[in-house]
Amino acid sequence: MSLLASLIAPLFVPADRPERFAKAATSGADAVIIDLEDAVPAADKASARDQLRDAALDVPVIVRINGAATPWHQDDVAALDGLDIAAIILPKAEREQEGASLAAIAPVIALVETARGLANVRALAQSGAFARLAFGSIDFAADIGCDHLPEALLAARSELVLASRLGALPPPLDGVTTDISNPAATRDDARAARSLGFGGKLLIHPRQVAAVFEGFLPTPEEVEWARQVLAADEEGAVKIGEQMVDAPVRIRARALLSRSEAGGAVIA
């Protein structure tokens, strides 16, 4: 399984705060996202790029560059030349050609966070230019003028999951939880995302890492249910307890056990 397919809990760190790079790398996150975009003020963009070459970390490094429509985009792309990075995150992704021009450098994650990006997300997923989708839920809510609430964003999240499947991509990454003081809220958000078909979640603080891994692991009750289903070792439709079990139910049971045994890793 590729790195991008198995990502569950990648952690953002501002590119202009190199003193935080090592802490992020030892947080338990499965990748560190060095952020040149929202986390860095305009006046500090150039100096932040200089920090990339000194980011020698023991975990995979992903770089979020500035969007294609910004004045910093081309300089960000040039700064990636020769760097050993695992992927690029393209914010405000809306057009296939934006990813295609970056894919020669590293695999590209399309961060969908505008109405236009969501309208084109199936084309993005099937274009071959992007290796995975991610949801920028906060920016998306601001773009369309809705509240940043689960019910308001359900349709958008479901569309990303469907688009990923249609494009044969790994399950998408959900957006951040802004409350960094409450790991339980992060865990609950991760569980909600998993229930919709997401495969991981973007993080903004080290204390969110364990909560996200926990949220993407099957619960003990789910694991026990899966074991009971597969222990029956029968074909066709059979009754186990009060539930009818057939082939699709067995597929879900196998996926739950595989994810549990892999420690939460996405089984695409």
Side-chain angles (χ1 to χ4, degrees), residues 3 7 29-33 57-62 86:
L3 167 70
L7 274 183
D30 44 14
V32 170
I33 305 169
L57 304 178
D58 293 330
V59 297
V61 172
I62 298 170

Side-chain angles (χ1 to χ4, degrees), residues 1 24 38 67 70 76 80 108 136 139 144 148 162 170-171 173 177 179 214 218 220 226 235 240 243 249:
M1 186 188 306
D38 284 348
T70 70
D76 287 355
L80 301 179
V108 185
D139 284 86
I144 70 169
H148 191 254
L162 178 58
L173 298 166
T177 296
D179 186 352
E214 181 183 355
E235 297 183 358
I240 299 178
Q243 183 179 16
V249 176

Side-chain angles (χ1 to χ4, degrees), residues 13 42 44 46 60 158 192 213:
V13 61
D44 297 332
S158 297
F213 278 116

Side-chain angles (χ1 to χ4, degrees), residues 15-73:
D16 62 343
R17 301 298 299 271
E19 72 278 6
R20 297 184 183 178
F21 292 178
K23 182 178 180 181
T26 58
S27 66
D30 44 14
V32 170
I33 305 169
I34 299 181
D35 188 15
L36 291 168
E37 196 216 13
D38 284 348
V40 179
D44 297 332
K45 299 283 190 186
S47 59
R49 288 185 207 105
D50 295 336
Q51 306 298 335
L52 292 177
R53 297 197 175 277
D54 297 325
L57 304 178
D58 293 330
V59 297
V61 172
I62 298 170
V63 178
R64 178 165 73 170
I65 60 176
N66 286 276
T70 70
W72 309 289
H73 178 76

Side-chain angles (χ1 to χ4, degrees), residues 52-254:
L52 292 177
R53 297 197 175 277
D54 297 325
L57 304 178
D58 293 330
V59 297
V61 172
I62 298 170
V63 178
R64 178 165 73 170
I65 60 176
N66 286 276
T70 70
W72 309 289
H73 178 76
Q74 292 301 328
D75 287 338
D76 287 355
V77 173
L80 301 179
D81 183 47
L83 296 184
D84 182 16
I85 58 175
I88 301 166
I89 292 182
L90 177 67
K92 307 292 193 298
E94 296 180 349
R95 291 174 289 274
E96 302 94 295
Q97 57 267 35
E98 296 170 350
S101 63
L102 297 170
I105 301 172
V108 185
I109 299 171
L111 186 58
V112 178
E113 45 190 350
T114 64
R116 188 178 299 278
L118 186 66
N120 293 337
V121 71
R122 297 190 192 188
L124 298 181
Q126 296 177 65
S127 68
F130 298 100
R132 197 167 183 180
L133 303 179
F135 187 35
S137 57
I138 297 174
D139 284 86
F140 180 81
D143 188 52
I144 70 169
C146 76
D147 291 335
H148 191 254
L149 296 172
E151 57 268 29
L153 298 171
L154 175 59
R157 285 192 164 100
S158 297
E159 180 63 15
L160 258 75
V161 172
L162 178 58
S164 295
R165 183 60 177 160
L166 291 172
L169 298 181
L173 298 166
D174 195 23
V176 303
T177 296
T178 57
D179 186 352
I180 63 173
S181 65
N182 185 0
T186 302
R187 180 201 62 211
D188 291 346
D189 284 351
R191 284 182 177 166
R194 177 170 73 89
S195 75
L196 293 176
F198 280 78
K201 183 174 175 61
L202 303 171
L203 312 182
I204 56 173
H205 196 280
R207 68 169 60 110
Q208 296 178 320
V209 173
V212 165
F213 278 116
E214 181 183 355
F216 277 93
L217 274 173
T219 65
E221 293 78 13
E222 288 175 319
V223 171
E224 179 58 27
W225 169 85
R227 286 173 176 160
Q228 290 178 8
V229 167
L230 297 179
D233 195 25
E234 295 185 40
E235 297 183 358
V238 297
K239 186 176 181 181
I240 299 178
E242 297 303 315
Q243 183 179 16
M244 290 303 299
V245 172
D246 58 7
V249 176
R250 294 186 186 94
I251 290 172
R252 179 170 182 268
R254 291 188 190 97

